[in-house]
Every structure is written in C-alpha cells, then in structure tokens.
C-alpha cells in the first residue's frame, strides 16, 4: 500500500483504527498530573503564607522562580525532545517533575541546609521556608517544561493536520481537569495528614503514569498496534517527505536555534505565547489568593468556585480545538482557519474587565467572568500550539515549541512579579480592589494584542520546507 496516498472519507470511516486516540488519552493524563503537581502550592498559599509569614511579594518570588526556570528549561526541553525522541523524553521529564513535586514536602529542612551553606560562605541568607520552596519549584519546573513540547510533538507524529487542534484541545483539557481535582484533593490531604502529605501523594502519581507510557508508546512507524490504514490516514495531509529509516552510521541534520529564529513564524508563535501565557499563570497562581483577599474564602470554601471555573475551561479547550475545523470545512487552509478562530476567541477575555465592577453582587460574578476568560485562554492555547505543526516540519516542532514556551514562561514571570508588586502596594493603601482591576484589565486585552502582532508577522500561511 502507498502510505502517501490520501484515504477517502468512506474508507476512513470504515477502515481506519483509533489507536492515535489512545496516545491522546495518555497525553491528557500526563497534562492532568502536570497541573495537579503545579497547583498544590497555590492552593496551600494562604495557609503557608500565614504559617511562614510570607508577603504577596514573597509568594510572587517563589512562583516567579518556577516560571523563570520553566521558561529557560522550555528552550532546552524542545531541543532535548527532538534529540532523544518522544517516548524517552516523557520518561525523563515526568521523573524529574514528580521528584520536584515530592521535594516540596521537605522544603523547610532543605531551606535550613541552603541557609547554612549560604551563611558559611558569607552570602545573604534567604528565609528558610522561601529558599526551600524556591529550590523545589525549580526542580519541578525543569521537569514540567518538557510536557508541552513532548505532547505537541507526539500529536504531530500521530495526527493529520486536520485533527491536531482537536487532539491538542483534548489533551490540553487535562490542565483543566488537574485544576478541578486539585482544589478537591489538596485541602483534603492537607487536612488529614498535613500540607507535606499533599505534595508527596500527588507527586507520586507521575511515576505510575510513566509505567503505562513505557508500555503503550512507540513512534507510528514502529507501533505494532497501529494499522497500516491508520498510519496512512495520519500522513494523508502531509506535505513533507515521508519517514524513511536513516542509513546506518548517519545522523540527522541539526537545526540551530539561530536558524529557527530567522523565520517570522517562530517570532509570531513566541510573541503570542509571551503575551498570553502569563494570563493563565496569573489565574492559576493567584485565584485562591484573590478569593481569600476579596471574599475571605479559605480551605474548603474555594473548592466549588474553582471547580466550576475550571470546568468551564474544559469547554474552551475542547471547543477551541474543534472551532478551526468550522472554517477549514468552508475551504480555509489549516493555518488560515486557525487564525480566524483565534481572532474570535481573543474577544471573549474582554468580559474579565467586568469582574471587579460587578464583583459586589456576588463572588460568583467574577468567578464566572474569569471562567469565560480562562476558557478562552484554553481555546487559544490549543490553537496557538498547533500553528507550529502547521508551519514547521516535524523534526523541528518541539524546538520551536520550546522557544515559544520560553517566551511564554518569561511572560509569566513578568505577570507574576507585576501582580506581587501591585497587590502589595494597593494592600498597603487599603485598596486591593483596584489592584485586581489593573491585573484583570491586562488579562482581558492581552489576546487581541497578541493576535494582531502574530497576524502582522505572518499575514499568510507559507509552509517551511527548507529545514
């Protein structure tokens, strides 16, 4: 059979298998674990801030360490994934981030060790609790940086272009499931066995996932569970050369970061990530603190609002993944349909501008409005990721995603630091309401700015074939 030959719709419906969706399910569960591990600290922040005497700036600094290390690691993660392959890269990444998640439980003794070493060599000593959590967040960030470059590369390997945004939307919704489960599990675990147990129990989930991944994943060309028909379908809309085994003793050509940075497509993706990733980081890290500061909600009180909010984001993630197909069915190329969908999606976060003016009615008003904005972010996210595999050959996808991921992480650092400064200032003048109004305005407008610059950089789709 000619694996480059397109498959008819009738044949697809009757003969093509569905093993690619098993891979999508594995990516979904990995992303769920990723966000469970990531969110434990934000949910415990009010309790830990009281216990250790952290200010908003202290908490922002701990969160910013995660984001900064995540950003730098994303750059190298993409290259690492392209070098060692999807299967091995996930084993390494989850092994590191699960270890980092468990390390949080030992942040205080680790901080004491850091303080002792720093004092011995005459360096300024960071408060023990802050130093320990910073180290734990750094290790967590190194591992978690691998998740999205690996998942996007796996999606490019296992799905034709017309299905990639839907597959990305499905696995990306794991972030929402993780964000829903975390407010339920974390307070329960912390209440039963202490905050340390919350980090340890949730951290161990990643090691269970790795065992399953090692058993089910191989590259499509080597996957015995994948039918020839499904493999042909996966390749049915490729315009790049099909897979051929490299001759013995040869190595694939290495594409430098500098070469990738010569393409406007790389800058468009990176700028879009820089402008919008910080919004999601802000919601993820600051929402529990917001509900505590504005409405006095703590512990179990925030479970239902956060569960509702992140349930809404699942709709955005999966719906956003489907949305470009509406335009593609009417004749648009994948990239063009995706950009049209992203313009519509960029309008929805504007409702976040109403969160503070209408917040006096009930805490449910900002929760639901922020839920719309967060849902729009997930819809945006699964599409902006897929623009990379629309434009770049598979062998460079993870590297480009890594470059954009670094930009997104740096955007997250900027947002987190700004948030810490703004909240501490407005809290000092007893006007925290205005502080949140400023931050919500930034979140609301970021997507339209991002889309405008991306469109200016890449007004029309032109696939890159010279790499």
């Amino acid at each position: 059979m000619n694996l480059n030959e397109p498959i008819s719709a009738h044949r697809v419906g009757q003969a093509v298998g569905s093993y690619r969706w098993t891979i999508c399910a594995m990516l979904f569960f990995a992303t769920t674990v990723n966000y469970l591990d990531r969110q434990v600290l934000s949910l415990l922040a009010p309790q830990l801030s009281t216990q250790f005497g952290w200010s908003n700036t202290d908490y922002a600094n701990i969160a910013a360490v995660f984001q900064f290390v995540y950003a730098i690691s994303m750059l190298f993660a993409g290259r690492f994934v392209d070098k060692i392959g999807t299967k091995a890269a996930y084993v390494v990444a989850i092994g590191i981030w699960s270890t980092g998640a468990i390390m949080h439980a030992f942040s205080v003794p680790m901080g004491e060790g850091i303080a002792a070493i720093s004092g011995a060599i005459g360096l300024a000593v960071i408060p023990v609790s802050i130093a320990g959590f910073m180290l734990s967040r750094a290790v967590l960030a190194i591992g978690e940086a691998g998740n999205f470059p690996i998942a996007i590369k796996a999606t490019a390997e296992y799905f034709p272009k017309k299905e990639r945004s839907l597959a990305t939307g499905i696995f990306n919704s794991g972030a929402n499931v993780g964000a829903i489960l975390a407010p339920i599990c974390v307070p329960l675990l912390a209440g039963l066995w202490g905050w340390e147990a919350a980090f340890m129990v949730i951290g161990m989930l990643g090691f269970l996932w790795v065992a399953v991944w090692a058993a089910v994943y191989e590259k499509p060309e080597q996957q015995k569970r994948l039918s020839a028909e499904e493999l042909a379908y996966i390749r049915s809309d490729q315009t790049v050369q099909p897979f051929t085994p490299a001759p013995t003793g040869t190595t694939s050509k290495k594409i430098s970061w500098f070469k990738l940075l010569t393409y406007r497509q790389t800058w468009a993706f990176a700028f879009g990530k820089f402008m919008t990733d910080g919004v999601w980081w802000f919601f993820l890290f600051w929402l529990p603190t917001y509900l505590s500061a504005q409405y006095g909600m703590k512990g179990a009180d925030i479970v239902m609002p956060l569960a509702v909010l992140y349930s809404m984001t699942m709709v955005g993630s999966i719906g956003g993944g489907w949305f470009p197909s509406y335009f593609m069915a009417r004749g648009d190329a994948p990239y063009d349909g995706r950009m049209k969908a992203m313009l519509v999606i960029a309008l929805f976060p504007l409702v976040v501008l109403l969160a503070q003016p209408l917040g006096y009615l009930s805490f449910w008003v900002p929760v639901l409005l922020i839920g719309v904005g967060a849902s729009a972010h997930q819809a945006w996210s699964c599409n902006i990721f897929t623009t990379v595999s629309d434009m770049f050959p598979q062998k460079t996808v993870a590297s480009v995603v890594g470059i954009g991921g670094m930009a997104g992480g740096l955007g997250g650092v900027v947002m987190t630091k700004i948030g810490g400064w703004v909240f501490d200032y407005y809290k000092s003048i007893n006007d925290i309401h205005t502080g949140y109004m400023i931050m919500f305005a930034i979140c609301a407008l970021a997507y339209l700015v991002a889309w405008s610059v991306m469109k200016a950089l890449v007004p029309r789709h032109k696939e890159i074939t010279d790499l």
Side-chain angles (χ1 to χ4, degrees), residues 97-430:
W97 97 50
S98 297
T99 300
I102 294 170
M103 284 173 59
H104 286 71
F106 306 97
S107 290
V108 173
M110 287 191 304
E112 292 170 347
I114 294 171
I117 295 171
S118 299
I121 60 177
L123 297 178
V125 177
I126 301 173
V128 166
S129 64
I130 295 176
F133 276 98
M134 282 181 170
L135 177 60
S136 301
R137 297 307 279 180
V139 175
L140 180 70
I142 291 170
E144 290 208 347
N147 185 71
F148 282 99
I150 300 168
I152 295 299
K153 187 175 181 70
T155 302
E157 289 174 349
Y158 265 89
F159 288 87
K161 288 183 179 180
K162 57 180 170 284
E163 289 184 347
R164 286 178 192 170
S165 64
L166 176 58
T168 303
I170 291 172
F171 85 68
N172 192 48
S173 68
N176 313 320
V177 174
I180 293 167
L181 292 177
I184 298 171
C185 300
V186 172
L188 178 62
L189 292 170
L192 288 174
W193 300 307
W195 62 265
E196 296 92 342
F199 286 109
M200 293 181 68
V201 172
I202 293 177
M204 288 188 291
L205 294 176
F207 294 112
L208 299 177
W209 182 93
V210 163
V212 180
W213 173 256
V216 304
Y217 191 89
E218 296 291 348
K219 291 187 71 171
E221 295 79 14
Q222 301 164 2
Q223 179 58 261
K224 295 179 180 179
R225 302 177 182 89
L226 194 68
S227 68
E229 289 80 9
E230 188 171 7
L231 180 58
Y233 174 64
I234 289 168
R235 294 177 176 170
S236 61
D237 57 3
Q238 287 185 4
T239 58
V240 295
Q241 285 297 109
F243 171 84
T244 55
T248 303
T250 64
T251 57
S252 59
K253 181 182 177 182
K254 182 177 179 181
I255 309 298
S256 72
W257 287 314
F258 295 106
K259 175 64 174 177
L260 294 174
L261 290 173
T262 63
Y263 295 92
R264 287 189 172 195
Q265 290 91 333
T266 303
W267 288 100
F269 176 66
F271 184 83
K273 293 289 285 179
F274 177 83
M275 286 298 300
T276 59
D277 272 18
V279 177
W280 180 254
W281 291 109
F282 176 78
F283 290 151
L284 193 69
F285 289 150
W286 288 102
L287 277 179
T289 303
Y290 167 70
L291 293 174
S292 175
Q294 290 276 269
Y295 298 100
M297 302 172 70
K298 298 184 184 298
D301 295 339
I302 66 174
V303 171
M304 184 58 69
L306 291 184
V308 169
L309 188 152
Y310 286 114
S311 294
M312 294 172 66
T313 63
M314 291 183 65
V315 176
S317 186
I318 298 174
W322 165 85
F323 192 25
S325 65
Y326 172 84
F327 298 104
M328 294 177 203
R330 284 156 177 75
D332 284 313
Y335 176 81
D336 298 325
R338 230 174 294 290
M339 288 300 290
K340 287 181 180 179
M342 289 169 69
L343 176 58
V344 175
I345 290 165
L347 299 174
F348 283 89
L350 296 176
V351 302
V352 178
L353 290 169
L354 300 175
Q356 286 298 81
L358 300 181
Y360 72 92
L361 296 173
S362 166
F363 70 85
W364 281 111
V365 174
V367 165
L368 294 175
L369 292 174
I370 293 169
V372 172
S375 184
H377 173 84
Q378 291 297 75
W380 170 277
S381 183
C382 63
N383 281 288
I384 192 172
F385 271 129
T386 314
T387 61
V388 178
S389 58
D390 285 341
M391 297 182 291
F392 287 87
Q394 285 185 17
K395 64 183 178 181
T396 62
V397 164
S399 293
V400 177
V401 170
I403 293 170
M406 182 185 71
L410 292 176
V413 172
V414 172
M415 280 287 284
T416 298
K417 292 293 291 180
I418 290 174
W421 294 330
V422 167
F423 298 146
D424 273 344
Y425 172 75
Y426 281 98
K427 183 179 179 181
S428 71
I429 63 173
N430 199 31

